[in-house]
Amino acid sequence: MDPRAPRRRVGRAERERQILDAAVAVFGERGYQNASMDQVAERVGVTKPVLYAHFGSKDGLLLACIARARAELLEVTSTAAASATTPEEMLRRGTLAFFEYLERHAPAWRLMYAESAVAGDAIEEIRAQQTDFIATLLAAQAPDADHQRLTGWAQVIVGACERLALWRDRAGVTSEEATEYLMDLVWTGLGHRAQSAR
């Protein structure tokens, strides 16, 4: 590219997407503590003050990475569940979408859990979001269940998915296998309840 050619202006949303992509890559490669804002800026092709103008600090940049992952995770799991025609398929598709998202975004996933000291509240927000989402789905299938019971079931599913995801990386388990392991246990109880309700 000709260095004398005028540079194309990038809109704010596009620039933030570029910065977040670079931050996830740099943080994932070097670890959050060892990564610098200079390295992220260099990856994007901007100056360090541009990063601070958009995100305020290195912690702010990490939290923005996690916030984006949170929004994306809700989008993929809700879209997958919405395409189901039965309660079992709804849980299966939503769970598979969760594992497949984590597989596609492995650096961001590892970053979140490695940096819980900085991002602990943000990670809890993701858990709460997924718990609320799953409880809402379950309420449609078990309308006689009280809110606390639905939330308890959702907590079990979210916790099991999280532990499976962490173990899956080490064990070389596929998203499909992890989904089946969850369904083996969870759907045993929920499926029986759904049949009883019918």
Side-chain angles (χ1 to χ4, degrees), residues 44-142:
V44 181
V46 298
T47 61
K48 188 163 67 169
V50 171
L51 303 188
Y52 287 104
H54 282 271
F55 297 103
S57 66
K58 186 177 165 185
D59 286 357
L61 181 54
L62 173 65
L63 293 175
C65 290
I66 293 170
R68 180 175 72 167
R70 174 185 170 190
E72 291 172 348
L73 186 58
L74 181 59
E75 173 65 24
V76 299
T77 53
S78 58
T79 299
S83 68
T85 58
T86 67
E88 181 179 5
E89 189 181 12
M90 178 188 69
L91 181 58
R92 184 182 305 279
R93 287 188 182 192
T95 302
L96 181 60
F98 171 82
F99 288 125
E100 287 178 340
Y101 175 83
L102 297 188
E103 193 173 331
R104 286 192 310 274
H105 299 86
W109 163 248
R110 286 192 292 270
L111 174 65
M112 282 190 278
Y113 282 88
E115 300 305 330
S116 58
V118 175
D121 289 343
I123 292 168
E124 277 304 312
E125 287 172 9
I126 291 175
R127 290 180 181 126
Q129 168 191 274
Q130 291 302 114
T131 299
D132 291 345
F133 168 65
I134 292 169
T136 300
L137 293 180
L138 294 174
Q141 307 308 321

